[in-house]
Amino acid sequence: MSSILTLDHVVFRYRSEEDRPPAVNDVSFEIEEGLFVALVGHNGSGKSTLAKLFNGLLQPESGEVRVMGLSTSDPKKLFELRKQIGLVFQNPDNQTVATIVEDDVAFGPENIGVPPAEIEERVRYALNAVGMAEFRQSSASRLSGGQKQRIAIAGALALHPKILVLDESTAMLDPRGRREVLEVVRALNRTDGITVVLITHFMEEAALADRVMVMDDGVLVLDGTPAEIFAREKELTERGLDVPLPVKVKNLLAEQGIFLQGDVLTEEELAEAVWQYRSKT
Amino acid sequence: MLRDAAFGQYYPARSFVHSMDPRAKILLTILYLVAVFLASSYTAFAAVILFLGLAILFSGVKLKSVLKSVKPILFLIVFTTIINLFFVREGTVLFEWWIFRLTDATLHFTAKMALRLVLLVMGSSLLTLTTTPVALTDGLESLLKPLKLIRFPVHELALIMSIALRFIPILMDETDRIIRAQKARGADFESGNLFRRAKAMLPVLIPLLVSAFRRADELSDAMDSRCYWGAKGRTKFKQLRFSWRDLVGALVTLVFFGLIVWDMVAPFFPILVIPS
Amino acid sequence: MAIQIKNLSYVYSPGTPFSHLALDDVSLEVPDGEFFGIIGHTGSGKSTLVQHFNALILPQKGDVMIFGQSVNNHRTDPEVRREIKEKKRSKKQLKQDKINLKALRRQVGMVFQYPEYQLFAETVFDDVAFGLKNFGEEDKSPEALERQVREALELVGLDFDEVRNRSPFELSGGQKRRAAIAGVIVTKPKVLILDEPTAGLDPRGKKEILALIHELKRTCSPTVIMICHDMNEIAEHCTRVAVLEKSKVRFVLPPEELFLRGDLIEELGLELPAPCRIARALNKRGFDLPENLFDAASLSRALGEALRRPPC
């Protein structure tokens, strides 16, 4: 499969932090099309900086970022590039431009000069995809946090992107809102084939991904399947992170001499593995 | 909650006035405002009130909501009334005491002035009550288009306005929250003289400013990410289109406007006066 | 009794189309020394309720007692009530009312959600000292001020000499939150209220803040009241939990009892702590696990026992 997002020895330093090590320090990776990737790391590990490098909001000091072969360093390609990669940010209040939901979702298509009739189609598609069709005419300020973030996702979807990046978009939400957003994102990945990069520090969310990348002090330190990554409980804890509770339980059971079979990352998988274990003995 | 008290907020409803073109509404409101200024006789005022009444009726907005818009300027009305009592000196004296002199002319003048203010505010708030901020700025942008010829940044101005309108409730909530947080730390915003009170607001204003800048930063990132590239090559989701409603609205407004102008100029042209 | 709420009701924007009943006849008691949790959906009235606890909001109906003293004290007297209503109360009396309220408010510290957004002063020292200067009736000498600010900063785990002259806006995210908390506890409130204290933090940051809250409870504010969306945190830390739903208090129970009522919690649209959910899922498949387990260690112990025991 081809790489849809490529980072090639990317270094980035904030201007105010010239005396400190770079916020992103020689990071390279490739993300294949259709994947669900989780990017984790403690606060200040450089993961949000990465998100802004993905679509050229920030320019690398050295190295290159390419989205579908387009380099973010080429100012002529930036417009085309941003159609392909949608970003959703943390604070639901600070990414809506218009007061009324449908006007906000239309903002992106308007910017790229889509004819009005097609904008209508795109708005309808995007709001359906996030399950917010009935709120088309609502005022954004009266929605819940989870609903606002779904509108922000719809705003990105209306540009028909190939990649969706969520930069801690669940951090400010309550559990219900988090679940809503996560369900929408997983469905988009599975049914519409949109590549998803989920930046988060909820390990339970990362457990749902196909691939987990761990950032620490600007460096990509771990990269693998959730099972591979969460097998390193001690290392993750040292890096200010954690493992999902089911993994912890599996490890504690192993200490008692009870070894569960298969990958245990989610609650369902743990329950299943425990049940299997008992059926066998 | 502070935000619910915001003046002139959009009143969601489906009505004749709501579905008129914002450009038509803006132009007709301007015409209405001119009429309010021109109105001089009580007949003319009656015509304006009748017109406003009709507009409110066809807007589906509760009279109470429109009246509420007058509340913030109540002080201004009382103030001008008192000033008038001092300065208008002509007319037959009805009542005199110390430096105050009440004449019939004063009475008429102040009554008309107060009426004018109330009608001005009610009329313009009916515009904001029946038109979403986006439609309003779209309408303005479209009406101001000719100014682009002299390189006036019409689109940018409209965008700034709509974003400002969008963030007013958010910043009001935030102010509310910061005030409470500082109150919990013993801050006192109510006692002391003006200077002390202004100083006491610093712990509110600074975090508010910091947060406004942070929000602006994040919003500009979000807009860039959604391919915002300025006005060039942009399309509009909602095309503004005049409909039969706007024609009807315009006709009704013109009839009333004509009546008021006629009422004003008729005394100078005796030929126009209908013999009684 | 630290906080006592009697038949409290509160309506936002009464008499307008936006009027909204935030609290509906709520009664509640929080004794000294508790780690009291409050859970419920966004909009269930939690924030309105806790803002009554330190008289930021005065009761429209009902009463709030802080260490036995009513915030209504001057207002329960029918004579005074009439005076307030008719705006006849003299300036001096109103001033005294305000002083009384301030004294009550001082006993209850309140850490709002994202407290770092309320930092404002030029230096960390000035920001932390803000509450002291506002409340302090006692010793206002520079030495006393410095001593208390130092104590507060050290309590929250910041190095006084390193941060005292720095701008609070230069601190890292986690340090900002600590500095903001120092600004609340500097007046040594006997009750500490925290609204979502771990929101937006990474796993280590969360653990550290929760450890800090326990430390504060031990050394400074013996009664802690915490609003929290994370049921795992609620279950692990609180001694009793109040569940709010649609402006009413549905239960007040210790977590071990509360989370046994899994069906009810789910019916209210709230989450169970993850270990409870796993135990429940297994019990549906024939296991017999206790359903009030709140951490990985106790769940794995229970599972270990169940798995070693042959199924009957």
Side-chain angles (χ1 to χ4, degrees):
Chain A
M1 260 202 258
S2 59
S3 162
I4 195 166
L5 174 64
T6 310
L7 266 72
D8 193 2
H9 297 285
V10 172
V11 177
F12 178 83
R13 207 186 298 257
Y14 285 101
R15 220 172 280 158
S16 57
E17 298 176 348
E18 267 162 4
D19 47 338
R20 278 194 266 172
V24 170
N25 199 350
D26 194 19
V27 171
S28 300
F29 59 75
E30 295 190 346
I31 290 177
E32 284 159 16
E33 189 164 1
L35 228 51
F36 188 131
V37 180
L39 188 58
V40 300
H42 61 80
N43 284 345
S45 61
K47 53 192 197 311
S48 289
T49 311
L50 268 187
K52 288 183 187 162
L53 285 160
F54 288 167
N55 77 342
L57 286 175
L58 297 175
Q59 290 293 336
E61 188 177 293
S62 63
E64 198 183 32
V65 180
R66 284 190 303 274
V67 176
M68 302 183 71
L70 305 167
S71 165
T72 60
S73 330
D74 184 352
K76 280 183 223 130
K77 297 279 161 61
L78 211 49
F79 188 70
E80 194 50 40
L81 184 150
R82 284 185 186 159
K83 286 189 208 169
Q84 309 294 343
I85 180 164
L87 246 68
V88 179
F89 296 90
Q90 182 176 21
N91 191 325
D93 280 328
N94 298 352
Q95 33 189 337
T96 358
V97 184
T99 314
I100 305 294
V101 166
E102 60 172 356
D103 294 331
D104 187 67
V105 176
F107 181 71
E110 286 180 335
N111 288 336
I112 60 169
V114 175
E118 200 196 321
I119 297 184
E120 165 65 33
E121 253 168 65
R122 287 183 179 224
V123 169
R124 198 177 309 146
Y125 151 74
L127 286 175
N128 275 331
V130 300
M132 289 291 289
E134 56 183 308
F135 293 95
R136 243 191 112 128
Q137 309 278 349
S138 304
S139 153
S141 59
R142 302 232 168 235
L143 300 178
S144 76
Q147 291 173 327
K148 283 182 196 164
Q149 285 301 53
R150 277 149 72 194
I151 296 302
I153 294 173
L157 284 181
L159 285 163
H160 291 174
K162 293 276 187 306
I163 315 175
L164 196 61
V165 180
L166 293 107
D167 184 6
E168 298 201 39
S169 309
T170 55
M172 294 178 81
L173 305 180
D174 61 10
R176 183 192 273 183
R178 244 181 15 236
R179 217 166 31 227
E180 284 171 17
V181 169
L182 224 56
E183 269 164 25
V184 162
V185 173
R186 288 182 82 192
L188 285 170
N189 174 252
R190 254 189 258 129
T191 56
D192 297 22
I194 295 176
T195 311
V196 172
V197 180
L198 180 75
I199 300 176
T200 183
H201 42 229
F202 291 103
M203 298 301 133
E204 290 75 14
E205 294 176 4
L208 303 171
D210 301 316
R211 173 176 168 192
V212 178
M213 296 197 274
V214 183
M215 289 286 292
D216 193 8
D217 293 333
V219 181
L220 179 67
V221 288
L222 291 172
D223 185 352
T225 64
E228 288 163 7
I229 300 297
F230 291 128
R232 303 162 165 236
E233 182 175 354
K234 199 168 155 246
E235 192 177 344
L236 287 172
T237 314
E238 277 164 10
R239 297 190 189 279
L241 299 171
D242 208 350
V243 298
L245 182 108
V247 178
K248 248 186 251 175
V249 173
K250 183 191 177 187
N251 292 346
L252 286 168
L253 281 173
E255 281 174 23
Q256 299 179 45
I258 296 169
F259 297 96
L260 300 180
Q261 295 299 306
D263 287 348
V264 173
L265 295 166
T266 62
E267 290 168 23
E268 294 77 33
E269 284 169 352
L270 176 65
E272 182 63 29
V274 169
W275 192 73
Q276 292 282 348
Y277 184 91
R278 193 173 70 167
S279 318
K280 269 187 210 153
T281 49
Chain B
M1 279 179 224
L2 274 171
R3 71 163 142 191
D4 293 332
F7 156 78
Q9 274 210 340
Y10 180 63
Y11 186 102
R14 286 187 183 276
S15 77
F16 184 89
V17 180
H18 277 80
S19 39
M20 276 172 75
D21 187 294
R23 287 171 300 180
K25 277 190 270 186
I26 294 171
L27 288 176
L28 296 184
T29 307
I30 293 173
L31 206 60
Y32 165 86
L33 297 180
V34 174
V36 171
F37 272 112
L38 289 183
S40 51
S41 72
Y42 286 111
T43 338
F45 274 111
V48 174
I49 293 170
L50 186 64
F51 174 75
L52 183 67
L54 274 174
I56 294 174
L57 194 70
F58 279 95
S59 72
V61 179
K62 279 199 193 109
L63 183 63
K64 212 172 128 194
S65 303
V66 187
L67 279 173
K68 237 168 71 184
S69 61
V70 180
K71 223 169 147 191
I73 61 142
L74 221 54
F75 170 76
L76 193 70
I77 294 173
V78 173
F79 185 73
T80 46
T81 308
I82 291 169
I83 293 286
N84 284 335
L85 289 180
F86 270 105
F87 287 100
V88 185
R89 293 261 168 222
E90 316 81 57
T92 353
V93 177
L94 300 173
F95 173 80
E96 198 166 3
W97 176 74
W98 193 37
I99 55 162
F100 296 101
R101 176 193 290 167
L102 191 65
T103 69
D104 59 345
T106 323
L107 215 57
H108 290 307
F109 188 84
T110 34
K112 281 177 186 166
M113 201 62 190
L115 211 54
R116 221 168 252 147
L117 279 171
V118 170
L119 289 172
L120 278 181
V121 174
M122 282 175 72
S124 39
S125 71
L126 191 63
L127 176 68
T128 53
L129 282 166
T130 58
T131 319
T132 61
V134 174
L136 207 57
T137 45
D138 276 359
L140 269 179
E141 186 179 351
S142 168
L143 286 173
L144 294 177
K145 228 178 229 160
L147 289 179
K148 274 189 184 162
L149 287 175
I150 54 160
R151 306 223 162 169
F152 187 78
V154 175
H155 161 74
E156 284 75 8
L157 195 76
L159 187 72
I160 291 170
M161 269 178 59
S162 70
I163 289 176
L165 284 169
R166 144 114 187 87
F167 275 88
I168 284 173
I170 293 177
L171 288 177
M172 277 180 132
D173 273 358
E174 177 132 41
T175 314
D176 202 32
R177 205 165 51 233
I178 299 173
I179 286 179
R180 280 166 201 264
Q182 306 299 29
K183 255 189 175 169
R185 293 207 282 164
D188 184 355
F189 302 109
E190 283 126 28
S191 31
N193 56 29
L194 204 63
F195 179 72
R196 266 195 67 174
R197 269 195 238 184
K199 212 179 142 204
M201 284 313 282
L202 274 184
V204 176
L205 291 177
I206 291 169
L208 196 63
L209 216 62
V210 171
S211 133
F213 277 115
R214 195 188 58 244
R215 286 177 191 281
D217 238 21
E218 290 181 24
L219 183 70
S220 73
D221 275 350
M223 286 170 66
D224 280 344
S225 301
R226 287 162 77 184
C227 294
Y228 181 68
W229 229 263
K232 220 176 138 208
R234 246 183 141 249
T235 45
K236 283 254 162 217
F237 173 35
K238 284 182 184 154
Q239 298 289 308
L240 298 179
R241 228 173 253 130
F242 288 114
S243 67
W244 61 271
R245 288 191 187 84
D246 303 302
L247 191 67
V248 173
L251 283 176
V252 174
T253 316
L254 281 174
V255 166
F256 275 95
F257 190 72
L259 274 175
I260 287 155
V261 173
W262 180 53
D263 176 73
M264 192 180 71
V265 296
F268 304 109
F269 302 96
I271 201 164
L272 288 175
V273 179
I274 303 163
S276 46
Chain C
M1 196 62 65
I3 307 276
Q4 211 172 348
I5 301 284
K6 280 187 207 153
N7 307 98
L8 193 64
S9 293
Y10 195 84
V11 183
Y12 278 107
S13 329
T16 71
F18 305 104
S19 103
H20 161 67
L21 181 67
L23 292 176
D24 186 3
D25 196 22
V26 170
S27 296
L28 200 65
E29 285 183 352
V30 183
D32 287 8
E34 260 203 301
F35 198 131
F36 194 81
I38 298 179
I39 59 177
H41 277 303
T42 315
S44 58
K46 292 171 297 181
S47 294
T48 312
L49 177 64
V50 294
Q51 288 184 55
H52 277 92
F53 290 176
N54 74 338
L56 272 180
I57 300 180
L58 290 174
Q60 283 173 347
K61 224 167 143 191
D63 199 1
V64 177
M65 317 265 275
I66 301 172
F67 292 104
Q69 263 195 309
S70 164
V71 298
N72 274 335
N73 227 353
H74 57 288
R75 308 199 306 172
T76 37
D77 182 357
E79 179 68 10
V80 178
R81 278 217 139 149
R82 193 180 51 78
E83 278 181 26
I84 290 177
K85 207 171 168 192
E86 292 169 11
K87 299 201 168 138
K88 272 190 187 154
R89 207 147 164 82
S90 75
K91 264 194 176 161
K92 203 174 154 196
Q93 283 166 315
L94 282 172
K95 207 171 167 187
Q96 188 55 45
D97 295 346
K98 221 188 258 173
I99 291 169
N100 295 344
L101 269 187
K102 222 166 157 179
L104 281 180
R105 196 171 284 159
R106 189 191 165 147
Q107 317 216 27
V108 185
M110 175 92 146
V111 178
F112 279 79
Q113 211 173 357
Y114 299 101
E116 54 274 24
Y117 292 163
Q118 74 199 38
L119 296 169
F120 74 95
E122 264 175 79
T123 64
V124 173
F125 185 96
D126 287 342
D127 210 293
V128 175
F130 181 65
L132 268 185
K133 286 179 191 158
N134 289 330
F135 279 126
E137 301 104 45
E138 320 100 43
D139 195 357
K140 273 195 183 178
S141 68
E143 297 80 36
L145 217 58
E146 183 173 326
R147 181 177 47 74
Q148 292 177 82
V149 172
R150 177 189 288 274
E151 222 174 297
L153 280 171
E154 279 169 1
L155 253 176
V156 300
L158 290 173
D159 183 337
F160 175 78
D161 295 305
E162 193 202 313
V163 299
R164 65 173 298 177
N165 288 322
R166 282 178 67 188
S167 157
F169 299 109
E170 283 172 13
L171 302 178
S172 77
Q175 286 177 322
K176 270 188 204 167
R177 188 162 297 186
R178 282 162 187 274
I181 294 176
V184 174
I185 54 123
V186 70
T187 48
K188 300 246 159 62
K190 286 190 238 161
V191 180
L192 185 61
I193 303 173
L194 304 112
D195 189 352
E196 295 272 347
T198 61
L201 298 177
D202 56 24
R204 182 192 288 163
K206 281 186 185 174
K207 262 181 234 156
E208 286 175 357
I209 287 290
L210 284 164
L212 170 63
I213 295 170
H214 278 288
E215 178 64 17
L216 291 173
K217 183 174 185 314
R218 201 174 57 78
T219 54
C220 161
S221 311
T223 310
V224 170
I225 299 170
M226 176 167 87
I227 294 184
C228 189
H229 283 305
D230 187 330
M231 295 302 154
N232 295 306
E233 285 175 14
I234 286 281
E236 270 187 63
H237 299 280
C238 296
T239 45
R240 275 196 318 151
V241 187
V243 185
L244 257 76
E245 195 222 3
K246 292 189 184 137
S247 321
K248 276 182 186 293
V249 171
R250 292 290 300 263
F251 324 91
V252 184
L253 288 171
E256 305 82 56
E257 286 173 47
L258 178 68
F259 292 116
L260 279 182
R261 309 184 177 196
D263 295 327
L264 231 126
I265 298 286
E266 279 172 359
E267 197 190 300
L268 293 177
L270 295 168
E271 291 206 319
L272 283 168
C276 305
R277 268 202 307 266
I278 296 166
R280 270 169 69 80
L282 282 168
N283 285 351
K284 279 187 191 139
R285 300 172 80 165
F287 277 73
D288 187 24
L289 299 162
E291 287 185 7
N292 51 3
L293 303 165
F294 302 139
D295 54 30
S298 49
L299 177 62
S300 61
R301 258 194 312 274
L303 281 175
E305 260 171 52
L307 289 177
R308 270 191 295 272
R309 197 180 335 118
C312 33

